[in-house]
């Protein structure tokens, strides 16, 4: 699978915004396009681990098919 450049840029931006904590999210397919979906890290130790917010998972699945 090839991730589109604009999606890669969105992922890098999210990682930079959340640093030093772990960033988490999904790439979803919407038709023939891809979209990066930011999710909240609910881990009790977000600098070292991640736990994706269940509400964010559901919201990502509503927007498209999770592919990454």
């Amino acid at each position: 699978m090839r991730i589109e450049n604009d999606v890669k840029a969105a992922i890098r931006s999210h990682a930079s915004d959340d640093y030093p904590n772990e960033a988490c999210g999904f790439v979803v397919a919407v038709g023939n396009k891809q979209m990066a979906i930011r999710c909240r890290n609910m881990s009790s130790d977000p600098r070292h681990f991640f736990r994706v917010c269940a509400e964010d998972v559901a919201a990502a699945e509503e927007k498209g098919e999770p592919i990454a």
Side-chain angles (χ1 to χ4, degrees):
M1 169 185 47
R2 184 177 162 275
I3 302 226
E4 297 168 1
N5 287 334
D6 61 328
V7 174
K8 288 179 188 177
I11 293 168
R12 282 191 291 273
S13 176
H14 181 193
S16 178
D17 290 347
D18 283 6
Y19 182 81
N21 292 338
E22 292 281 337
C24 50
F26 292 94
V27 176
V28 298
V30 182
N32 63 353
K33 291 289 295 169
Q34 298 174 351
M35 180 188 323
I37 307 292
R38 291 180 179 221
C39 295
R40 292 171 284 178
N41 183 348
M42 305 302 287
S43 172
S44 61
D45 184 6
R47 283 188 170 210
H48 299 104
F49 303 99
F50 71 91
R51 184 169 58 100
V52 181
C53 174
E55 292 171 355
D56 294 351
V57 173
E61 290 174 337
E62 288 178 8
K63 292 186 182 198
E65 178 185 351
I67 58 174

